[in-house]
Amino acid sequence: MATLYTISKICFRFVGFTCVRPVVLHPERFHVPGGFILACSHVSHLEPFIVSTLVDRRIDWMARIEFYRYHIFAAMLREYDAFPVNRQGVPVRAIRTAIERSRAGRVVGIFPEGGVARGRESILRGGPIKKGVCVIAYRAALPVLPVIMLGTEKLNCVGPWLPFRRARIWINFGRLVYPRLDEPRRRVARHLMADDLGAEFQAIYKELCRTCGIDDRDVP
């Protein structure tokens, strides 16, 4: 239901304007015509709400199946066009849904780390990437747009949300990473794209730290 999505977005924008001060690099890179996959770093569970608030297009987020255990949360996620993924085993159904929706011209949001990742496990520092995002991009023949967010872990407590506290978050949109469609061996193509995607994540992380004066030691 578009009304619920719109109302929620307006509310989040109002709260964000009142409490949070975002710094966004290269927002124009999100303006990609047609469908594509948005791959987001994951240091807290707030990234999908913040990204969806910042951009104009709707994002169909791939959400952990655990969030669907309660009927009220499941109903809300469906209204927001999210779809479940079972991280145990091969998520064939979720991959198929992501391919269908992106081919239909929609933006599909994915966390390529597979969950909250910090330290050396973070994609920002060369941590592993789940190959599902590369499978989707290859089969859909569509690019992946990486985006990173820093500071969201500090929003898990009440203090930063008090009016006029002006909590800080930093966002950087990367360049499009395209699947290696010229490589007929799918497994090889997935690994090559994962390397390309990982390199772009690390590049925009370094750029964000350098531009905004962020010390790597302050990032979880």
Side-chain angles (χ1 to χ4, degrees), residues 7 44 70 75 100 119 136 139 145 161 175:
I7 292 174
S44 81
Y70 302 98
E100 292 173 352
I136 294 166
R139 294 185 180 177
L145 178 68
W161 293 104
R175 296 177 177 83

Side-chain angles (χ1 to χ4, degrees), residues 169-186:
I169 59 173
W170 298 267
I171 302 104
N172 193 5
F173 288 92
R175 296 177 177 83
L176 291 173
V177 178
Y178 289 86
R180 300 292 192 95
L181 299 178
D182 56 339
E183 173 55 68
R185 296 168 296 177
R186 292 184 178 181

Side-chain angles (χ1 to χ4, degrees), residues 1-219:
M1 183 168 60
T3 302
L4 178 60
Y5 184 92
T6 303
I7 292 174
S8 300
K9 192 167 187 174
I10 292 173
C11 291
F12 275 116
R13 281 186 173 178
F14 174 76
V15 173
F17 177 79
T18 304
C19 307
V20 181
R21 181 168 39 148
V23 176
V24 185
L25 302 186
H26 309 300
E28 73 283 354
R29 290 177 177 171
F30 183 82
H31 301 299
V32 180
F36 64 92
I37 297 94
L38 182 71
C40 186
S41 61
H42 206 21
V43 297
S44 81
H45 293 297
L46 295 174
E47 285 94 351
F49 302 103
I50 296 173
V51 174
S52 296
T53 300
L54 290 172
V55 300
D56 293 329
R57 292 180 64 180
R58 293 185 67 149
I59 303 173
D60 296 6
W61 289 100
M62 182 184 288
R64 292 164 49 183
I65 199 169
E66 290 85 353
F67 294 145
Y68 288 79
R69 290 177 179 174
Y70 302 98
H71 293 300
I72 185 171
F73 292 143
M76 290 178 63
L77 287 169
R78 283 192 291 268
E79 294 292 351
Y80 294 142
D81 291 329
F83 57 98
V85 56
N86 188 346
R87 298 183 300 165
Q88 306 300 322
V90 181
V92 176
R93 184 175 180 181
I95 289 175
R96 185 181 297 117
T97 300
I99 293 171
E100 292 173 352
R101 294 194 184 190
S102 57
R103 280 179 175 172
R106 302 169 78 161
V107 181
V108 174
I110 294 176
F111 297 102
E113 294 159 304
V116 173
R118 300 179 178 181
R120 290 299 168 188
E121 294 299 313
S122 172
I123 198 173
L124 306 177
R125 301 183 179 93
I129 296 176
K130 299 289 186 181
K131 300 301 190 298
V133 62
C134 302
V135 172
I136 294 166
Y138 186 89
R139 294 185 180 177
L142 291 171
V144 175
L145 178 68
V147 58
I148 64 172
M149 303 186 67
L150 303 180
T152 56
E153 79 286 351
K154 297 178 181 177
L155 302 179
N156 292 327
C157 55
V158 176
W161 293 104
L162 297 177
F164 311 115
R165 292 296 296 273
R166 309 306 289 176
R168 299 289 299 276
I169 59 173
W170 298 267
I171 302 104
N172 193 5
F173 288 92
R175 296 177 177 83
L176 291 173
V177 178
Y178 289 86
R180 300 292 192 95
L181 299 178
D182 56 339
E183 173 55 68
R185 296 168 296 177
R186 292 184 178 181
R187 183 181 297 274
V188 174
R190 291 197 298 268
H191 283 285
L192 291 174
M193 187 179 185
D195 291 341
D196 295 341
L197 190 58
E200 182 63 16
F201 267 109
Q202 293 176 61
I204 59 177
Y205 172 61
K206 292 177 182 177
E207 179 190 26
L208 190 60
C209 290
R210 182 177 62 252
T211 303
C212 300
I214 301 170
D215 193 322
D216 177 69
R217 292 171 295 183
D218 297 328
V219 179

